[in-house]
Amino acid sequence: MSTTPPVLAAELAQAWADIQRYHAELPDLAAPESLIGESSSACGAELSFERLLHEAVHGIAAARGVRDTSRAGRYHNRRFLAIAEEMGLDHSEEPHASSGFSLVTLNPEAKRRYRPTIERLQRALKAHTAATAADTKRSFRGPAARHGSSGGGVRVKAVCDCGRNVRVVPSVLAQAPIVCGGCMKPFRIPDVAIAAAS
């Protein structure tokens, strides 16, 4: 099995399609690769089928025109919870003070329904993690990894040798070089920025 991000993105897209078989109103996933390498404190610390189903709840809410979060998307309200329960997710406790009902877990019926999908996605994620773990010096993910990001992540300044700079999500830069059009050398995140963000 290939462990490149496009292959993992294809596995995520297939898992999303599996969810759509049970929830036809769920819109298509526009960019599955956007989930790779990003964490979300509201959705859990790592990418998993449970997180994908959580994102699908937001997709159904959007399709229905339901406002399921507040506080810039951090607080997941009871409308989110109602859709989550429809989709096989439970929340056993009172809402968290800052994230509401975001920490949902698969109920036993959903675990049975999606078992093949979960197993396939876990294999792909494990292979992807193994393939990228050896590159730890280049896989700095900055504040987005520590604090979570349900959006595009926290951008930091990346520079090239000619002095030009761009703002980029570190996990995006870690996936493949971004080359400067002026000097044709790759942008990099200065060590000082990495140290400051640690």
Side-chain angles (χ1 to χ4, degrees), residues 137-155:
K137 288 189 177 166
R138 291 194 59 234
S139 60
F140 165 73
R141 290 180 44 213
R146 288 200 317 274
H147 304 297
S149 169
S150 57
V154 176
R155 289 176 171 80

Side-chain angles (χ1 to χ4, degrees), residues 73-95:
R74 289 185 308 273
Y75 190 87
H76 293 59
N77 60 35
R78 290 192 183 276
R79 290 181 292 274
F80 170 85
L81 182 59
I83 297 170
E85 288 172 347
E86 286 177 40
M87 297 183 72
L89 292 165
D90 288 335
H91 189 283
S92 59
E93 300 174 15
E94 289 297 310

